[in-house]
Amino acid sequence: MALTSPVPVTSIPPIKHREWVELGAAQNRALLDLLAGLNEQEWSAPTDCEGWDVKDIALHTLAWAEAITSPTIYSKQWVAGMRTKKEFGGSALDATNDFQIKLRRNLSTDEIQAGLARHLRRQATFLARAGVPLKAVPYREPFSGHWVSLGYVANIIFTRDHYMHRLDISRAVGREPEPAEGDARLVADIVREWTKRSRASALVELAGPAGGSFRCGTGSSGTIRGDAYDFTRRLAGRKGDLDVEGDATSIEAWLGVLCTF
């Protein structure tokens, strides 16, 4: 049973820069609130990000927030990543992330939270100013291999990354994600972009506070049902429990087309 009349994804307007700034601020607040409510044992809980616990995700987020506003820190991290990328299957990004975490692992949870509160604010200020001019700079992002722009990185990737890591942490500690302002808008935009990349033709019925009902293409190949957060987790390469009806082969292939988080 559909949640509402399906919305054609072609009618979903892309998110503009100013709205990305607002969505990013909401995700930052929600992430900080989530971390503030964790006990010490929960900071050590393993996550779906291979080899990372909750603390590692927080350190990774802190490191990128620091790097975005400091050319010195960014260069140090990236050089270290380039030097060790062979250990990570040739991925300089994975190597950089590993270096970031190891460098900061001695930080206490209180220090991590204080650092995030400070540097996420600085990062957001920088990205709000740089997001528009950076649209003119092409960039091949390493997660999906798509050519985008640095403006896409500034506006979209960091906002989605913080959103997804909220879900990673919530799942790791066994809590339902606390909805953040704008989650439903983010999910709708992810459905829109995924449909464009995958050329999916199915109905997508997503439950929960961030959910909605969408028609991708003609919607003729079947239906995907599940929680909105699980759907976006699936498109980020995580585990997500979804029910599929119709042309399962085509739908599973479309679900294998990842979006950038």
Side-chain angles (χ1 to χ4, degrees):
M1 180 178 179
L3 302 176
T4 61
S5 297
V7 174
V9 295
T10 53
S11 70
I12 300 172
I15 300 175
K16 303 288 187 180
H17 173 68
R18 178 46 52 187
E19 189 178 4
W20 276 118
V21 172
E22 295 170 355
L23 290 169
Q27 292 303 317
N28 290 349
R29 290 193 298 270
L31 178 60
L32 290 170
D33 288 345
L34 174 60
L35 293 174
L38 300 181
N39 60 44
E40 287 300 318
Q41 184 177 3
E42 289 173 326
W43 278 86
S44 300
T47 72
D48 286 345
C49 299
E50 186 176 354
W52 287 7
D53 61 16
V54 169
K55 183 177 180 180
D56 292 333
I57 285 181
L59 289 173
H60 156 76
T61 306
L62 172 59
W64 276 113
E66 292 177 344
I68 288 302
T69 56
S70 171
T72 300
I73 293 176
Y74 179 88
S75 298
K76 181 179 180 179
Q77 291 181 173
W78 193 250
V79 168
M82 291 298 291
R83 285 175 177 169
T84 60
K85 66 180 182 179
K86 288 184 179 180
E87 300 173 23
F88 296 86
S91 173
L93 179 60
D94 288 346
T96 298
N97 289 339
D98 183 73
F99 173 79
Q100 292 173 330
I101 292 169
K102 287 179 177 176
L103 190 66
R104 295 164 175 81
R105 195 157 267 154
N106 289 333
L107 292 177
S108 69
T109 57
D110 286 342
E111 290 171 327
I112 294 169
Q113 291 177 83
L116 279 169
R118 180 170 64 257
H119 289 289
L120 284 177
R121 184 168 56 250
R122 294 181 62 191
Q123 180 190 45
T125 299
F126 173 80
L127 295 178
R129 294 171 179 169
V132 172
L134 286 177
K135 288 181 179 181
V137 183
Y139 175 71
R140 186 181 178 89
E141 59 87 7
F143 181 74
S144 68
H146 290 281
W147 279 97
V148 292
S149 71
L150 285 180
Y152 181 96
V153 177
N155 284 328
I156 300 175
I157 291 183
F158 280 109
T159 300
R160 288 184 182 171
D161 189 60
H162 296 172
Y163 159 86
M164 186 53 58
H165 285 324
R166 276 180 47 226
L167 304 189
D168 291 330
I169 293 169
S170 296
R171 186 180 183 92
V173 300
R175 301 183 189 180
E176 288 296 321
E178 188 70 28
E181 183 180 353
D183 275 1
R185 181 70 169 113
L186 277 179
V187 169
D189 188 67
I190 291 164
V191 174
R192 180 192 63 79
E193 182 177 305
W194 168 74
T195 302
K196 182 178 179 180
R197 289 188 175 184
S198 67
R199 299 186 180 181
S201 181
L203 299 178
V204 177
E205 298 177 2
L206 303 178
S213 185
F214 307 94
R215 187 177 74 241
C216 308
T218 65
S220 60
S221 293
T223 303
I224 302 168
R225 293 188 180 93
D227 179 79
Y229 293 135
D230 280 344
F231 180 78
T232 54
R233 282 178 56 78
R234 180 75 176 270
L235 299 187
R238 272 71 156 175
K239 300 174 183 177
D241 296 327
L242 303 172
D243 293 324
V244 172
E245 295 179 1
D247 184 354
T249 300
S250 294
I251 292 174
E252 289 296 333
W254 293 328
L255 288 171
V257 177
L258 303 182
C259 286
T260 306
F261 288 86

